[in-house]
Amino acid sequence: MNRHFFRELLEENPRLLQKMMQFNGRAFEMSHLPRGGIWDAVERYPDLVAALTHGQTRLDPLMGQEPVYWGFTEESHRLAFMSSDEISRLGRIVAVAVYAEEIAKTVDRANVLAIKKFLGEPLYDYGLTRARFQIGGLRKSLISVFEKGTLSERLAWMARLAIETMRRNWPIELVEKTDKVFGQLDYPSLPESVQLTDETRRQLWYFMKKIILREFDQKWAQYFA
């Protein structure tokens, strides 16, 4: 971990640093912190900076040996900041972009209604317009992952796969702290175990980040830009 990362955030992106500290919650209620602003705490207390830069987790006797996650230098971990609704929408956007061409060719009323039920009208329209142009070469790596099932089923599976792929390599502390949020996602279980290559995972993250910056409320851009 970059030992200067948190000091740099203090100057360059204090909103991200504040979000990270809010996420860590009780970690910033330790008795040695002053009553003033959290920024003063970071600047004035070398032991806090050392804790932040030492590693991703630590055990604090004042917190009953509760593991505390300090990370977020890895951008994809910042999905933990988002709500279940936003995460669910992100997975759907990935799915609709992967299958945009198939959606455009689907004219059977029953299938169209099933697709719209899963995506909602705004994302369905997104699939018919700019989605195919945004995903680029990533489509080739994902389009054949699910060869069976209806298009609406494949969309739902792809949405889950996209989110699970990002979360699969998270530190266990972060996984545990976000179990409730991710457990509320309304995707069906995958029909089979799927492991994407590291390169596909890297491309998938860049696409998801692009979607967050371009298609989401701009309040999220400050955490991923």
Side-chain angles (χ1 to χ4, degrees):
M1 184 178 291
N2 186 337
R3 63 182 293 108
H4 302 296
F5 176 67
F6 295 94
R7 290 188 185 278
E8 291 172 355
L9 284 185
L10 187 63
E11 298 179 358
E12 299 174 5
N13 196 343
R15 290 184 179 181
L16 172 57
L17 182 57
Q18 182 181 39
K19 189 70 173 180
M20 292 162 58
M21 291 182 168
Q22 289 172 343
F23 182 89
N24 281 291
R26 288 176 56 207
F28 298 97
E29 298 173 7
M30 293 179 289
S31 60
H32 68 271
L33 296 185
R35 290 183 175 273
I38 194 65
W39 315 130
D40 291 338
V42 174
E43 289 182 312
R44 293 168 50 195
Y45 284 75
D47 58 335
L48 177 58
V49 175
L52 288 167
T53 58
H54 178 68
Q56 293 179 329
T57 60
R58 69 187 182 89
L59 294 178
D60 191 325
L62 296 177
M63 301 179 63
Q65 299 299 308
E66 178 183 347
V68 180
Y69 185 80
W70 295 103
F72 299 111
T73 53
E74 165 59 50
E75 279 190 318
S76 66
H77 294 174
R78 298 172 198 173
L79 293 177
F81 296 154
M82 305 176 80
S83 67
S84 294
D85 288 343
E86 294 283 35
I87 296 168
S88 177
R89 179 172 167 236
L90 180 59
R92 283 170 162 81
I93 290 179
V94 173
V96 74
V98 172
Y99 292 107
E101 293 186 17
E102 287 71 20
I103 292 172
K105 296 175 183 177
T106 300
V107 296
D108 177 78
R109 185 173 184 275
N111 288 331
V112 170
L113 290 176
I115 293 169
K116 287 184 177 181
K117 181 179 180 181
F118 175 69
L119 296 176
E121 288 284 354
L123 288 188
Y124 179 80
D125 292 341
Y126 168 75
L128 296 179
T129 54
R130 60 190 182 279
R132 71 186 70 185
F133 305 109
Q134 289 183 325
I135 193 168
L138 176 60
R139 170 182 154 86
K140 294 181 180 179
S141 301
L142 297 176
I143 191 62
S144 62
V145 171
F146 302 111
E147 297 181 344
K148 298 180 180 180
T150 65
L151 184 52
S152 60
E153 288 174 332
R154 284 178 283 158
L155 282 162
W157 294 335
M158 185 59 65
R160 175 171 287 281
L161 177 63
I163 299 303
E164 285 190 355
T165 296
M166 288 300 105
R167 194 167 177 248
R168 186 170 289 139
N169 294 325
W170 283 8
I172 186 61
E173 291 81 8
L174 184 58
V175 171
E176 291 175 348
K177 286 174 72 72
T178 56
D179 271 343
K180 182 177 180 179
V181 172
F182 283 84
Q184 294 173 349
L185 297 180
D186 56 349
Y187 307 142
S189 299
L190 297 180
E192 57 189 277
S193 177
V194 179
Q195 292 280 355
L196 302 181
T197 66
D198 290 342
E199 176 59 22
T200 299
R201 181 186 181 281
R202 184 185 67 82
Q203 293 180 23
L204 176 60
W205 168 243
Y206 283 130
F207 175 62
M208 293 170 78
K209 178 181 174 181
K210 179 170 72 173
I211 291 302
I212 292 170
L213 296 178
R214 295 185 182 181
E215 304 294 336
F216 276 59
D217 188 306
Q218 282 302 296
K219 69 181 181 181
W220 295 109
Q222 61 198 4
Y223 306 136
F224 296 94

